Amino acid sequence: MKEFSVKAIVMGCIMGCLFGAANVYLALKAGLTVSASIPIAVIAITIGRRLLKTTILENNIIQTTGSASESIASGVAFTLPGFLFLSMVNGKSVGADFFNYITILILAIFGGLLGTLMMIPLRRSLIVKEHATLPYPEGTACASVLKAGEKGGDIAKTAFIGLGVAMLYAFFQRVLHIISEVPEYTTKLTNKYFPAAKISGEITPEYLGVGYIIGPRIAGTLVAGGVLSWLVFNPLLATLIHDQTIIASQLIKLGYLKDLSTAGGPGGWNPATHLFDDTSDAIYRAYIRQVGAGAVAAGGFITLMKTIPTIISSFKESIGSIKDRKAGNTQLRTEKDLSLKVVLFGSIALILLMAFIPMIPGDSIGSKLLLGILVVIFGAFFVTVSSRIVGIIGSSNNPISGMTIATVMSTCLVFIGIGWSGKTYEPMVLVVGGMICIAAANAGATSQDLKTGFIVGATPRNQQIALFIGAIVSSLVIGITIKILDKPTADMVQQGFQHAIGTDKFPAPQATLMATLIKGILSFNLDWQFVFVGVALAVTMELCGVNSLSFAVGAYLPLSTTLPIFCGGAIRGLVDWRRKRRGEIIAEDDLGKGNLFATGLVAGGALAGVIVALLIAGSDKIAASLETINLEPALEKSLGVNVYALLGVICFALLGLMLYRTAMKKQTEIKV
């Protein structure tokens, strides 16, 4: 049976590029990504099987090649924008010069290859020997999709309808601006009972879809963090701080505002009146984001600590599997892995390349050699951890943030131990953290893919080669997407922003957190009082039985991000409740109509966002043309600002109703 064919690799690369760009967009906006394997498998069995006459093994190669994009996109977007947020020297971050396409591309490829390399010796132990004990939920579900497609059926139709609806909605919202993008309501600073409280929502189809996919519990925990920040902390601080110069001074310290005599910055500082146009946004940037950063750091670390028994057992298993393995004895096609020599020489080559490539931060070959050694050591450990954890709890719950935080803190301590402290070493720490984040994320996705292959009878060697190809090709597009999304709009430039990443448009929460930790540890200059409040907040949530990491991410992000996600989660909760009352047995979630439609919403909405950003960034002429068909000013003038915002909310509610009705349709039973 055909398996590793040109058409399978090409189609997998195309899918990887599309979903890689979409996941970068989502990661920078919401700090979340969605699994690409199942959507790509659905597309593969529709387009590949019907138009290209692909076999089930070729379809598996398509989803394997494409799925590498999801993990690399999340790893890159969660860490590498941190170059922009490191310590400032002469008005520019010490890492800004490294935030270029070539450096991002190299680190993305190296991290992706490392994740797959280190997973090769673990496959027999984790995938084969523990097949009965490690379910690998996404991998098993993906195999079900491929088997269902082989038997026939029309499961992809719902996903494509969702994609089309999302693209149409995005056209009205992002091109014509008939639908408001971020309706909001803020109480006045002079409000005696509830000052400077803000409710807002970025009512996009991708957020609605993400909320439905992650479900009501996680979505509810996310929005709870946002409620605490925007409806508790904000009014409280606005009540206590009467002199807004204090807030402005804090923003100056953090680098958001040049000085008290310069207008602009978060919240719109007015040097004449010494007041902000939007006090809630100013307070959020000055204080609450640092509390959120401390909470995210603690939440990630707590999540990592809870998995220590798994870490120890998985590391022992991996060492045992390497000792037990006898190279060259495999006979069956389904047992053929790449040689362990590939792992050994690949790791050595990675260390040497990092030492001699000039785009990697470091003041000498020796210092960069140390970076390479640290990357391989931490990589071997956390790839093992990641691969086993996703086998139990799935890729969506993989504590990548915790592993990256542990790597960053450990690298900082190594640097301090050898006398490397200060601003110049900050980019080097971020390189180690970034590559481990990418490698651990890719190892988790690789494990799921190998599980899928094991179930459908694929050749592991072919899958591993496909993952290498997918990692390299998707990295090409991921770097371009990040640079396009980072280009500031004309309004941002007027406000003094040189980068779109880091603004409310693309908050990049994890990357900002990594930079904050690195600056604080190496430069011994961090507002620890806010960070420790966040740590205590995460501990409190954990003691209450709440997922501290999800709550912390919600506290860190704008409410405009988490509120529409919660709407999607609430719809999912309502659907599940109604179907249980009707006595229906809820089918496999990943193959349900609601989940497929939500996947289409995510893919369509995110891709539309990337396309619009690409058009605006690619040509000033196109940007000007798009501005001429912007109907927002005319609608606000004729309807009023409030009615225009209400119109957007109604459109979003109709989209939610469509998702609900689709999810409530009778499920077609899929026999596998």
Side-chain angles (χ1 to χ4, degrees):
M1 185 181 288
K2 288 183 180 179
E3 182 175 10
F4 194 80
S5 62
V6 173
K7 60 185 176 183
I9 291 295
V10 170
M11 188 173 173
C13 287
I14 293 170
M15 292 297 104
C17 290
L18 292 175
F19 279 92
N23 266 315
V24 165
Y25 182 83
L26 273 178
L28 292 175
K29 283 186 76 70
L32 298 164
T33 56
V34 292
S35 175
S37 295
I38 293 170
I40 292 174
V42 167
I43 294 171
I45 62 176
T46 304
I47 297 176
R49 190 169 181 270
R50 293 185 181 181
L51 301 182
L52 303 177
K53 306 300 181 186
T54 51
T55 66
I56 187 172
L57 296 185
E58 284 179 307
N59 289 337
N60 180 54
I61 289 294
I62 292 171
Q63 74 83 18
T64 298
T65 308
S67 70
S69 65
E70 163 217 341
S71 52
I72 294 174
S74 61
V76 169
F78 288 168
T79 54
L80 299 189
F83 281 127
L84 301 174
F85 314 128
L86 297 174
S87 297
M88 305 295 285
V89 175
N90 298 324
K92 187 172 78 170
S93 166
V94 292
D97 291 339
F98 299 107
F99 193 67
N100 60 72
Y101 176 72
I102 298 299
T103 303
I104 294 170
L105 175 65
I106 291 170
L107 295 178
I109 290 175
F110 283 4
L113 296 182
L114 180 67
T116 301
L117 269 178
M118 294 298 179
M119 182 56 205
I120 291 171
L122 301 177
R123 188 193 70 85
R124 286 194 178 187
S125 170
L126 298 181
I127 307 299
V128 180
K129 289 184 179 179
E130 297 199 49
H131 176 61
T133 56
L134 293 177
Y136 286 97
E138 287 95 344
T140 302
C142 198
S144 298
V145 172
L146 292 173
K147 286 184 175 183
E150 191 68 12
K151 288 177 176 290
D154 202 20
I155 65 173
K157 182 179 178 181
T158 307
F160 283 111
I161 292 173
L163 190 143
V165 168
M167 294 289 277
L168 183 64
Y169 184 100
F171 174 75
F172 284 113
Q173 185 177 53
R174 295 188 174 117
V175 178
L176 299 180
H177 295 273
I178 293 172
I179 302 171
S180 172
E181 288 196 48
V182 191
E184 63 178 45
Y185 175 75
T186 308
T187 60
K188 294 181 179 179
L189 185 62
T190 54
N191 188 300
K192 184 179 178 180
Y193 303 104
F194 209 42
K198 179 187 281 189
I199 294 178
S200 57
E202 193 169 348
I203 48 175
T204 60
E206 61 268 26
Y207 283 170
L208 189 70
V210 166
Y212 188 92
I213 291 168
I214 65 177
R217 185 167 183 81
I218 298 175
T221 306
L222 275 171
V223 81
V227 168
L228 181 73
S229 291
W230 292 88
L231 301 181
V232 178
F233 285 160
N234 242 327
L236 179 63
L237 291 172
T239 302
L240 296 174
I241 303 173
H242 298 289
D243 183 3
Q244 296 199 11
T245 307
I246 297 172
I247 304 172
S249 299
Q250 177 67 12
L251 290 173
I252 293 168
K253 179 183 177 181
L254 295 173
Y256 290 121
L257 193 62
K258 186 178 180 182
D259 52 50
L260 292 175
S261 60
T262 304
W269 172 249
N270 188 328
T273 61
H274 276 224
L275 295 173
F276 286 96
D277 297 333
D278 185 350
T279 309
S280 62
D281 192 45
I283 292 174
Y284 164 71
R285 290 278 181 167
Y287 306 109
I288 298 171
R289 283 234 309 187
Q290 294 191 79
V291 174
V296 172
F301 200 72
I302 289 169
T303 306
L304 187 63
M305 293 299 290
K306 286 163 70 177
T307 58
I308 279 181
T310 306
I311 291 171
I312 295 171
S313 63
S314 62
F315 201 69
K316 286 180 179 177
E317 282 289 337
S318 67
I319 298 299
S321 70
I322 293 172
K323 286 181 180 179
D324 293 343
R325 181 169 180 175
K326 296 177 181 178
N329 286 350
T330 54
Q331 298 295 324
L332 294 175
R333 173 186 61 81
T334 54
E335 293 179 4
K336 290 182 180 178
D337 291 284
L338 286 172
S339 169
L340 285 178
K341 292 179 183 178
V342 174
V343 181
L344 177 63
F345 291 121
S347 301
I348 294 171
L350 193 67
I351 294 171
L352 294 175
L353 285 169
M354 286 191 67
F356 290 99
I357 290 178
M359 283 72 73
I360 303 290
D363 53 7
S364 66
I365 290 176
S367 64
K368 293 200 283 188
L369 202 60
L370 176 62
L371 289 188
I373 293 169
L374 287 174
V375 163
V376 170
I377 292 172
F378 286 131
F381 182 73
F382 284 120
V383 161
T384 301
V385 173
S386 177
S387 299
R388 189 173 185 88
I389 286 175
V390 300
I392 301 169
I393 59 177
S395 298
S396 302
N397 300 309
N398 196 4
I400 296 295
S401 295
M403 298 180 203
T404 310
I405 289 165
T407 301
V408 164
M409 294 176 74
S410 301
T411 306
C412 285
L413 293 176
V414 170
F415 279 22
I416 291 171
I418 59 179
W420 292 359
S421 62
K423 300 176 180 179
T424 55
Y425 296 102
E426 291 174 8
M428 296 171 65
V429 177
L430 189 62
V431 165
V432 178
M435 286 188 62
I436 296 307
C437 185
I438 297 165
N442 196 38
T446 297
S447 305
Q448 302 287 2
D449 293 333
L450 292 173
K451 182 71 167 186
T452 302
F454 178 72
I455 293 172
V456 301
T459 309
R461 174 190 172 92
N462 289 344
Q463 281 192 282
Q464 289 153 1
I465 295 171
L467 283 160
F468 286 142
I469 296 170
I472 294 169
V473 173
S474 61
S475 295
L476 295 169
V477 175
I478 287 166
I480 293 171
T481 306
I482 283 187
K483 293 304 291 181
I484 289 170
L485 297 180
D486 186 47
K487 185 175 179 181
T489 62
D491 290 339
M492 291 179 186
V493 173
Q494 287 179 354
Q495 295 176 40
F497 292 111
Q498 296 179 330
H499 301 274
I501 295 176
T503 65
D504 286 342
K505 187 176 183 182
F506 298 112
Q510 286 91 342
T512 312
L513 167 66
M514 300 308 164
T516 302
L517 284 174
I518 293 168
K519 286 189 292 185
I521 297 172
L522 286 187
S523 301
F524 308 102
N525 180 28
L526 187 65
D527 289 327
W528 288 106
Q529 66 272 35
F530 301 117
V531 173
F532 284 135
V533 167
V535 171
L537 178 62
V539 171
T540 302
M541 290 300 108
E542 200 67 40
L543 291 172
C544 291
V546 176
N547 185 315
S548 57
L549 185 56
S550 296
F551 186 90
V553 170
Y556 184 92
L557 288 170
L559 186 62
S560 59
T561 298
T562 55
L563 189 56
I565 289 174
F566 172 69
C567 293
I571 292 171
R572 172 65 172 270
L574 180 61
V575 167
D576 289 348
W577 177 73
R578 284 287 310 279
R579 290 175 61 197
K580 282 179 182 177
R581 285 201 63 183
R582 292 197 315 202
E584 291 183 22
I585 298 173
I586 298 176
E588 174 60 58
D589 287 339
D590 295 309
L591 300 178
K593 286 184 178 293
N595 222 68
L596 290 170
F597 188 80
T599 298
L601 291 180
V602 172
L607 288 173
V610 172
I611 291 168
V612 171
L614 180 64
L615 292 173
I616 292 172
S619 168
D620 292 336
K621 190 174 181 180
I622 293 176
S625 299
L626 288 174
E627 195 58 38
T628 59
I629 57 174
N630 183 352
L631 300 177
E632 182 177 351
L635 288 171
E636 284 188 341
K637 186 177 180 181
S638 59
L639 300 175
V641 175
N642 292 334
V643 176
Y644 172 65
L646 181 62
L647 176 65
V649 173
I650 292 170
C651 291
F652 187 68
L654 290 173
L655 185 65
L657 180 63
M658 186 180 294
L659 173 59
Y660 170 77
R661 291 177 65 87
T662 302
M664 288 301 296
K665 287 180 181 176
K666 187 76 173 176
Q667 297 288 104
T668 303
E669 187 179 352
I670 298 170
K671 296 180 181 179
V672 179

